[in-house]
Amino acid sequence: MTRTVPAAPPWLAHALRSQRGPVSWSAVLRGALGGGPLLLAAVAAGRPTLGVAAAIGAMFAGINDRPGSRRASVARIGTPALAGAAGLLTGTVAGDHAPALPLTLLLTVLGLAAGGISALGPVGSAAGTQLLVGAAVGAGMPLPEPAWLRAAAFVAGAAWLLMLRLALPTSHSLAGDRRFELRFDGERAAVAGVYDAVAALLDAAGSDGATARRAALTAALDQAQDALAGPRLRRHPASAAERRLHARYAAALPLAEAATALAWAGEPVPRRAREAPRRLAAAVRDGAPAGPLPAPTRSAPGLRALDDALLRAAEAFDRADGRRLHGRRRTRTAALRTVLGARGREYGMRVALCFGASAAVAQVLHQARWNGQHEHWYWLPATAVFLVKPDLGPLASRVLSRAAGTVLGALLFAGLAAVLPRPEGLVLLVTVCGALIPLATRHFAAQTAVVTVLVLALVMAGGEPQASLARIGETLLACAIVLVVGHLPTPGRRGDAIRARLAEASGAAREYLAHVLGESADREARWALRREAYRTLAEARTAIALASAELPPLARHADGADETAAALERLVDTTTACAVHLDDTGGLDPHHLRRLTALLDELARHGARLRVDLPTAGGDVRVGARHG
């Protein structure tokens, strides 16, 4: 008799899961050259506390130093650094002049704003995190420098690591034109990843793995979009190398469309048809021409679309005329609507309550002198920031990982601090921990352990005594506060953020379907709408997965959302197949219409009503303007 092992609850399974992937040794090198040398220079100049602020800025920049293009890293590292400096400036001024109660209220309001900003995406989330941590540290860490100098040192530390990111080569192999490689290596790797993902989807066509491969293709396209669309001084690419990359990315869009249509058809794709995208991926990595490509047999609409896309790709690879940017552009009005909308309100309320409650408890304990001479009450609210941010993982998982990581890091630092010389040993610890951050970001507990050692070393380098046990107690207290406050009822409906995500995905799917059924000749607009539909769906899926892994009182608000998202994905897949079929034959066959009708009915049962009038034989197409 076989005995089944009960599955771990979702929140525990998430806590035990770690990210995988190749090690970015270039990021490890940048981390080693980040905070440690800055602290060493400040100690040598007799201003160790100024070095502490700079090293903290470099530490946060190292956490945000993720794979991608150099251009994208400017916003990914620079925007949060400016927010952190603003928080540090605000917190320092408030901590110097405001009594405990007004200071707590100010931190709570900042938590509300930071939570709303976090709804804008990963960069907004990092900016919100650094804003709150900077405010807490500025208000609670006694440093001799004035507020403006602290903020300037913080920005300088982040700018130092950003300069390393822009100047040093990455881990990608050098080949072809080395100037091209050094400047655009992240973009080139991202575009090549799209062609690899297309090939992988063609491999999986007709198998159970096609859905996962299509999701991987969406992720690859998102990464390439972000890599190519970083901040720039000019509107269009200035160099031939950059225009060539944009052209090669644009050439991948019809390939992705054809591959999705073939996967939707559910029939295996001949090996000959799967080989060409891999050759294109190699050409992108090497900065070389496309060369001869094997042409697929033109026996079906999807294969004919694939062959046409390969012909266009071969032509695009020989030109350098990709002037149009393919990034995701949102207006300031749309961004403000997101911050003030359901997602921003729900995130903001949750962050404000947890951050404000932890600051209030910290102030009470600080005024009561419970911790003797260790007056760094900022550890409590700063810890709460990392625990409560909704995009960093399920709440219970974050609490468990944070507690384990802090205990491990604090005990490790206590042992090292007893034997290492000062200040040389502390500088060495900061350097080693900076190098370990890119590795530790694979798991929240590991990242917490490394950051704990690094911060404790910085605090001691600033002239404070060793306080590992106090940090453990404050972290466990913050975990308890966030667990309780994070599960309290809040104004409005729980799950509004998930519903807002699904509404965005429904709207994008409706616009894409309307464009395809309208038989517009503007294919670039169609590809852009397809990209937005898949991207909003991927974002909704991520939010739903995180919400579903919460403890039951929170996870129940995501019930049924995953089924709605899956139906929307099938609708977008079917719309893509319809687009390819319309290009080939000029009309839809009954199979496509039956599939669209069934999916729209399924979505209506889930509450997502996309009002669409489907075409009949020889009839016109009319698409309604309202969706739910």
Side-chain angles (χ1 to χ4, degrees):
M1 180 178 178
T2 59
R3 183 176 299 176
T4 59
V5 178
W11 62 268
L12 180 58
H14 190 280
L16 299 175
R17 191 183 309 129
S18 62
Q19 298 178 8
R20 298 180 180 180
V23 176
S24 176
W25 295 111
S26 55
V28 172
L29 176 62
R30 292 192 295 271
L33 296 176
L38 293 175
L39 180 61
L40 178 61
V43 169
R47 302 292 297 272
T49 52
L50 202 58
V52 168
I56 291 176
M59 177 193 73
F60 276 112
I63 293 174
N64 294 324
D65 184 13
R66 299 301 179 92
S69 67
R70 285 176 169 77
R71 194 186 303 280
S73 69
V74 174
R76 190 183 300 117
I77 295 175
T79 302
L82 294 177
L88 191 61
L89 184 65
T90 303
T92 302
V93 173
D96 290 343
H97 299 92
L101 181 57
L103 178 60
T104 302
L105 293 176
L106 172 63
L107 294 178
T108 303
V109 172
L110 285 178
L112 184 64
I117 293 171
S118 299
L120 293 174
V123 174
S125 175
T129 298
Q130 291 197 36
L131 174 67
L132 296 185
V133 173
V137 170
M141 179 182 281
L143 295 177
E145 288 78 21
W148 70 268
L149 190 55
R150 290 193 198 184
F154 183 92
V155 171
W160 167 248
L161 195 133
L162 178 58
M163 187 188 72
L164 295 175
R165 175 69 180 88
L166 297 176
L168 297 179
T170 64
S171 301
H172 303 299
S173 60
L174 296 176
D177 185 343
R178 290 176 177 262
R179 290 177 301 169
F180 171 80
E181 172 66 32
L182 179 62
R183 187 178 176 188
F184 301 115
D185 52 356
E187 290 94 328
R188 197 168 79 173
V191 174
V194 172
Y195 285 98
D196 281 333
V198 169
L201 179 57
L202 292 174
D203 287 341
S207 70
D208 294 336
T211 300
R213 294 294 188 181
R214 205 272 310 138
L217 174 58
T218 295
L221 285 163
D222 291 346
Q223 184 178 357
Q225 255 188 345
D226 294 339
L228 293 171
R232 62 178 63 246
L233 296 177
R234 300 183 181 182
R235 183 175 182 182
H236 297 294
S239 67
E242 191 175 7
R243 290 196 298 272
R244 186 180 302 116
L245 271 174
H246 279 263
R248 293 181 175 190
Y249 169 78
L253 298 180
L255 277 174
E257 183 179 64
T260 302
L262 288 167
W264 179 88
E267 297 180 0
V269 177
R271 183 175 181 178
R272 181 179 179 85
R274 299 176 295 182
E275 181 63 26
R278 287 193 172 87
R279 294 191 185 181
L280 293 174
V284 173
R285 288 193 177 91
D286 296 337
L293 299 175
T297 304
R298 299 174 63 91
S299 57
L303 290 173
R304 287 190 286 273
L306 182 66
D307 189 25
D308 291 339
L310 288 172
L311 290 173
R312 286 195 293 269
E315 183 181 2
F317 268 57
D318 293 332
R319 299 199 315 265
D321 60 353
R323 294 182 175 274
R324 180 178 177 181
L325 293 179
H326 297 279
R328 190 183 194 187
R329 296 191 176 275
R330 285 184 171 177
T331 63
R332 294 178 182 176
T333 302
L336 184 62
R337 190 181 302 117
T338 299
V339 171
L340 300 179
R343 279 194 288 148
R345 290 196 304 270
E346 185 170 314
Y347 284 6
M349 186 64 66
R350 192 167 166 183
V351 174
L353 288 176
C354 291
F355 187 61
S358 62
V361 172
Q363 281 294 308
V364 170
L365 297 176
H366 173 62
Q367 298 299 327
R369 303 291 179 186
W370 79 284
N371 53 354
Q373 299 300 315
H374 303 304
E375 298 182 354
H376 303 299
W377 57 266
Y378 64 85
W379 190 274
L380 198 60
T383 299
V385 173
F386 293 102
L387 291 173
V388 75
K389 289 303 292 300
D391 55 326
L392 296 180
L395 181 58
S397 171
R398 294 196 302 273
V399 166
L400 180 62
S401 297
R402 182 76 184 186
T406 300
V407 171
L408 176 61
L411 293 178
L412 180 61
F413 176 78
L416 293 172
V419 298
L420 289 176
R422 302 176 194 172
E424 298 86 353
L426 298 177
V427 173
L428 178 62
L429 267 185
V430 172
T431 302
V432 172
C433 289
L436 291 176
I437 282 177
L439 303 176
T441 52
R442 294 163 180 256
H443 195 281
F444 190 47
Q447 178 180 310
T448 299
V450 172
V451 170
T452 298
V453 175
L454 193 155
V455 171
L456 289 175
L458 290 175
V459 171
M460 185 174 286
E464 297 298 323
Q466 201 275 111
S468 294
L469 292 180
R471 298 299 174 259
I472 292 176
E474 291 162 350
T475 296
L476 296 179
L477 179 57
C479 291
I481 292 172
V482 171
L483 269 180
V484 173
V485 177
H487 288 85
L488 291 177
T490 57
R493 292 188 304 167
R494 286 280 195 179
D496 277 348
I498 298 298
R499 284 184 282 273
R501 289 281 193 188
L502 287 175
E504 290 176 12
S506 297
R510 190 202 68 83
E511 290 182 18
Y512 177 43
L513 179 59
H515 189 277
V516 170
L517 294 183
E519 300 184 36
S520 170
D522 189 350
R523 292 194 178 186
E524 287 198 0
R526 185 176 84 195
W527 297 330
L529 290 171
R530 176 179 172 274
R531 285 268 56 248
E532 187 65 16
Y534 275 123
R535 183 156 192 161
T536 53
L537 276 167
E539 292 170 348
R541 281 282 206 176
T542 300
I544 292 167
L546 289 178
S548 300
E550 297 280 7
L551 292 177
L554 296 181
R556 63 185 178 84
H557 296 287
D559 290 348
D562 200 51
E563 290 79 2
T564 303
L568 283 170
E569 285 181 340
R570 292 193 295 272
L571 177 65
V572 177
D573 287 344
T574 305
T575 304
T576 301
C578 290
V580 170
H581 199 273
L582 282 168
D583 287 344
D584 187 69
T585 65
L588 296 180
D589 61 25
H591 175 59
H592 290 94
L593 294 175
R594 286 195 301 268
R595 187 63 177 151
L596 285 174
T597 301
L599 287 168
L600 291 172
D601 289 343
E602 181 181 354
L603 286 167
R605 290 194 297 271
H606 288 303
R609 297 182 180 275
L610 281 73
R611 299 189 60 184
V612 178
D613 293 330
L614 297 179
T616 57
D620 295 330
V621 179
R622 297 181 306 279
V623 183
R626 184 167 64 89
H627 65 272

